[in-house]
Amino acid sequence: MDLRRARARVPTALLATLLCAHALPAATQEPAPAPAPAPASAPGSTVYNIEIIVFRATSALGGAEDWSAEAGARNVAGEESASGSATVGHFVAALPSSAWQLGELESRLRASGVYVPVAHTAWAQTASSWGTRAGFSLQKLGIEVPGLSGSVFLERGQWLHLGMSLTYAMTAPPQGLGAAPDTPFTINESRRVRFYERNYFDHPAFGVIALVTPAQGARPPGR
């Protein structure tokens, strides 16, 4: 469910081409996780690997909007300590770059001249209960980018969902957005994910590509 004002999720033609060029072999595709007996029983000790690339656009991927209204609608995901008695995800470990699977895609984004990767990281964690929005700050995940803040969260109910609430205030926003320097742009979204399937979280100014895989029995990079 998109937690901000509805916006098209279809990537631009160039980005779609880059994603397809980096598609994992069909044999690596996994079905969605099986439904849990009850939403509260699924989170726990299962560990997942999450990898994300945050990138900005050199030119607007959409038209001008009321960015101040978007910023006022922010609903930032909380840290795990803010979730009370609900089951919350636990950070297990940062993953070394040798275990990343989106390195080639990052290179393609950089070479496109249209997208500029600003952060790339991966980590292992357990999932939080559905609806808690309990996640980890970008700083916790090792991302330190000027103007970029927020959290990423993984929830498990009947299905596995990856969400994020990110704000990016750029000193030089893409032309065509009608945005002044340091205007805060926001991605506030959660969606169901499948293993080994790249997920694109979009915005006219920046975007995130995320990959979720099982930590146990995960395939090596490029397989």
Side-chain angles (χ1 to χ4, degrees), residues 22-109:
H22 183 67
L24 298 173
T28 68
Q29 299 300 316
E30 296 285 344
S41 66
S45 60
T46 302
V47 179
Y48 305 91
N49 292 340
I50 303 174
E51 182 176 353
I52 64 172
I53 297 175
V54 183
F55 62 93
R56 59 164 297 172
T58 57
S59 60
L61 302 180
E65 300 184 21
D66 185 353
W67 305 114
S68 61
E70 179 188 69
R74 290 200 300 268
N75 184 12
V76 178
E79 294 290 341
E80 55 178 328
S81 61
S83 303
S85 59
T87 301
V88 298
H90 294 285
F91 185 87
V92 176
L95 300 181
S97 58
S98 59
W100 296 358
Q101 301 195 51
L102 299 179
E104 182 182 346
L105 178 56
E106 179 186 6
S107 297
R108 290 178 180 274
L109 289 171

Side-chain angles (χ1 to χ4, degrees), residues 70-216:
E70 179 188 69
R74 290 200 300 268
N75 184 12
V76 178
E79 294 290 341
E80 55 178 328
S81 61
S83 303
S85 59
T87 301
V88 298
H90 294 285
F91 185 87
V92 176
L95 300 181
S97 58
S98 59
W100 296 358
Q101 301 195 51
L102 299 179
E104 182 182 346
L105 178 56
E106 179 186 6
S107 297
R108 290 178 180 274
L109 289 171
R110 197 179 304 279
S112 72
V114 178
Y115 308 105
V116 180
V118 297
H120 188 172
T121 192
W123 68 97
Q125 69 164 91
T126 60
S128 299
S129 298
W130 170 252
T132 60
R133 291 176 61 84
F136 303 103
S137 68
L138 295 186
Q139 290 71 27
K140 172 74 173 180
L141 302 177
I143 295 178
E144 296 282 354
V145 176
L148 180 63
S149 62
S151 299
V152 179
F153 55 95
L154 184 70
E155 297 181 326
R156 184 70 189 266
Q158 185 177 16
W159 308 107
L160 191 65
H161 283 73
L162 180 68
M164 56 192 67
S165 187
L166 306 180
T167 298
Y168 196 178
M170 307 174 188
T171 56
Q175 294 184 356
L177 292 183
D182 298 318
T183 295
F185 301 110
T186 300
I187 291 178
N188 198 359
E189 186 175 347
S190 176
R191 65 176 58 177
R192 175 183 165 189
V193 294
R194 293 179 171 86
F195 292 148
Y196 300 102
E197 182 177 281
R198 294 179 308 279
N199 297 271
Y200 173 49
F201 295 78
D202 74 317
H203 188 284
F206 74 112
V208 178
I209 297 172
L211 181 70
V212 179
T213 60
Q216 191 170 31

